[in-house]
Amino acid sequence: MRNQPIRTLLIEDDPDDALLLKQALARSDWQGMGFELERAENLAAGLAVLEEGRTDAVLLDFMLPDSRGLDSVCRVHARFPDVPLVVLTGLQDERLGLEAVTQGAQDYLVKGTVEPHALQRTLCFAVERRRMQQLKAEIKERRRMDKVKDELMSAVSHEMRSPLTIIKAAAINLEDSSLGPLTQDQTMMLNLQRANIERLQKILDRILDLSRLESGRARLQPLRVDAAAAVAETVSSYRLLAAESGIELVLNLPHEPLAVRADPGMFAQVLGNLLENALRFARSRVSVGVEQDADEGAPAGRGDPGGAAVLTERACVRFSVGDDGRGVPEGRLGEVFEKFVQIDRLEGGGYKGTGLGLAICKEIVTRHQGRIWAESAPGAGARFVFTLPRAEDA
C-alpha cells in the first residue's frame, strides 16, 4: 500500500452530491492511507486540473453542464489514459456505467447508494489496478525490446563473421610471407592485427552462443558423461596457458566414479569459460574440483542467479573452479552472471572480457536443470560452483 494520500479529482456540478462524497472520503477506513479531494464543477475545469499532472484518480459525474454520458468518459480517457477513472451514475444510468467500463473507466458507482468504505475501496483498487496494468505494460515492452536487441545482436554478429573470416585469411597469407617478406615493424603490426581479430571472433561467437541459448535454438544432446574424465580432459587443454602465466593448476578428482547426463560440448564450454575467468584473475593458483553432492542450492547470500535456494533430494555432482585473486568487490557478487557485466578484479585495469562468458554458463547450466553460483570475499579470491544431476537420476 502507498503511504501518500490518493489525490482524487471530483468532476461534479451538484454541490450536495459533492459534499456527501467529500464526507465519505474525510476519514479513511484504510490504515496508513488517506484521500485528498479536489472538485471541478464542469468537464472543462476538470480537464484543466488533470493537465497539472497531480491527480491519482478521477470521480466523474455522468451529467455535467458541458458534457454528458459516455462522451465525458471518452474525452477524459482519451487525454489522460493513465489516470484511473471511476464513473458516478444515477439509478437509471447503471447500464451506461457498465458501458463506461468498456470505454476505459476502471469502475462505476451509483450515486445515492455509495457507502464510505465502498467508495474508498473502489478508489484504492482503481489506483492499484491501473498501477499493475502500467507495470505489466512496462514488462511487456521491456521483453519486446530485449527480443529486438537479441535478434539484432544475433543478426549483426552472424553477418560480421564472413568479412572477419576474409580479414583473418588475408592476415594469415601476409604472415606466411606469400606476398613477400615483412619488416620487423610490419610483423609487429600483423601480430597485433591477428590478436584483435581472434578477440573479435571470440566476442561474436559468444554473442551467437548466448542468442541461440536464450532463443532455444541451441538444442541439448545429453549423454552419460564421466565427470572426472571430462573435467580432466578440459583442464589438460589449459595447462600450457596456466604454465605460461606462472599459475599452478590443481585438479581434485573423486576416487569413486561419478557420471552426469549432459551435453558434452556445452559442459566443456561451461568449464572452459570458468577456467579462462579464473586464469585471468589468479595470482598463482587455480583449483578445479569434482565431488558428489546433494543439490541443496546455493548457500544463502551468495551470488546465485537462480534465486533462493531450493532443497531437493536429487543426487547431483558438484563442480568448482576457484582462484586466489583479489576476489569480487563487495556488493557486486550478484551481478557476475548478468549479460555484458565486466567486474574488474585486477589492479590497473587488466584484460577486458566480453561480459558474456558467465551469462552463457548460467544459461547452459540452467538448461541442464543444474544450479550455478559464485562465492568470494575481497582479497581472498573467487570460487564458481555449478551442479548437474547425476546420470542415474537425470
Side-chain angles (χ1 to χ4, degrees):
M1 282 293 189
R2 53 186 286 153
N3 295 323
Q4 298 293 329
I6 295 178
R7 297 164 297 185
T8 306
L9 171 62
L10 171 62
I11 307 178
E12 169 66 75
D13 65 320
D14 190 315
D16 293 333
D17 286 337
L19 179 61
L20 290 174
L21 292 168
K22 183 177 181 180
Q23 291 175 344
L25 296 177
R27 186 173 181 178
S28 176
D29 294 337
W30 298 78
Q31 185 176 3
M33 181 176 295
F35 299 87
E36 291 181 359
L37 187 66
E38 182 176 359
R39 180 190 171 202
E41 296 185 2
N42 54 58
L43 186 62
L47 293 175
V49 173
L50 286 169
E51 286 284 0
E52 299 175 8
R54 50 188 174 83
T55 301
D56 296 321
V58 176
L59 287 171
L60 175 66
D61 184 22
F62 244 3
M63 299 301 173
L64 297 168
D66 56 347
S67 182
R68 289 177 176 269
L70 293 175
D71 181 60
S72 301
V73 176
C74 293
R75 289 173 64 184
V76 173
H77 182 66
R79 290 184 59 181
F80 305 97
D82 294 332
V83 180
L85 175 64
V86 177
V87 174
L88 300 172
T89 75
L91 288 172
Q92 69 277 14
D93 298 325
E94 192 167 359
R95 179 183 59 81
L96 288 177
L98 289 172
E99 292 186 24
V101 173
T102 67
Q103 298 298 320
Q106 287 282 333
D107 209 339
Y108 75 95
L109 295 170
V110 180
K111 291 198 294 185
T113 66
V114 181
E115 297 179 352
H117 183 77
L119 174 61
Q120 295 175 18
R121 180 185 61 195
T122 299
L123 287 172
C124 289
F125 285 7
V127 170
E128 186 63 20
R129 193 180 301 119
R130 175 61 69 186
R131 189 184 71 83
M132 293 303 297
Q133 289 172 346
Q134 292 173 340
L135 182 60
K136 288 179 180 179
E138 290 174 4
I139 293 173
K140 184 177 180 180
E141 178 63 15
R142 191 177 304 165
R143 287 176 176 171
R144 188 188 72 83
M145 292 303 296
D146 284 343
K147 183 179 179 181
V148 170
K149 180 187 66 176
D150 291 340
E151 290 175 350
L152 178 61
M153 286 170 48
S154 178
V156 171
S157 301
H158 187 270
E159 291 300 320
M160 288 179 65
R161 294 188 71 167
S162 294
L164 187 62
T165 301
I166 296 173
I167 296 172
K168 186 175 181 179
I172 292 174
N173 286 334
L174 288 173
E175 189 177 19
D176 291 342
S177 300
S178 57
L179 300 178
L182 300 177
T183 66
Q184 184 176 358
D185 288 341
Q186 289 173 334
T187 301
M188 181 181 68
M189 295 303 295
L190 184 60
N191 291 336
L192 181 63
Q193 179 186 0
R194 283 286 303 276
N196 281 276
I197 288 174
E198 292 174 0
R199 181 166 182 262
L200 181 56
Q201 194 167 39
K202 190 172 185 179
I203 291 174
L204 295 179
D205 288 342
R206 287 195 166 177
I207 290 176
L208 288 171
D209 286 344
L210 189 58
S211 176
R212 284 193 289 263
L213 286 165
E214 291 183 331
S215 66
R217 297 195 306 271
R219 300 186 63 181
L220 270 67
Q221 296 181 336
L223 301 172
R224 182 184 177 89
V225 175
D226 185 303
V231 169
E233 181 180 356
T234 302
V235 169
S236 65
S237 62
Y238 286 87
R239 289 200 177 277
L240 180 59
L241 177 62
E244 291 176 348
S245 303
I247 297 173
E248 180 186 10
L249 191 52
V250 180
L251 183 59
N252 299 308
L253 297 178
H255 297 294
E256 71 278 9
L258 294 176
V260 293
R261 189 162 182 81
D263 183 299
M266 290 189 179
F267 172 80
Q269 187 174 8
V270 171
L271 193 59
N273 285 353
L274 295 180
L275 276 167
E276 288 179 13
N277 194 64
L279 289 170
R280 187 185 311 157
F281 297 118
R283 289 192 179 101
S284 61
R285 178 186 173 94
V286 168
S287 59
V288 181
V290 182
E291 60 183 331
Q292 181 176 343
D293 185 63
D295 186 359
E296 298 178 351
R302 305 298 174 91
D304 175 21
V310 178
L311 294 177
T312 173
E313 296 180 356
R314 182 184 64 193
C316 66
V317 178
R318 175 179 293 203
F319 305 86
S320 63
V321 179
D323 65 72
D324 62 349
R326 292 171 56 84
V328 179
E330 189 173 358
R332 302 202 62 188
L333 194 60
E335 303 175 31
V336 295
F337 293 98
E338 296 179 10
K339 290 185 289 187
F340 300 109
V341 171
Q342 299 183 42
I343 298 178
D344 186 12
R345 295 196 272 140
L346 290 176
E347 294 179 347
Y351 169 77
K352 289 291 185 181
T354 62
L356 292 175
L358 293 177
I360 291 172
C361 291
K362 172 189 170 183
E363 287 292 331
I364 293 176
V365 172
T366 300
R367 291 195 63 186
H368 279 81
Q369 299 181 342
R371 295 179 65 84
I372 185 169
W373 66 93
E375 303 169 349
S376 180
R383 182 170 178 260
F384 289 85
V385 186
F386 69 95
T387 63
L388 294 177
R390 289 193 61 172
E392 293 81 358
D393 303 302

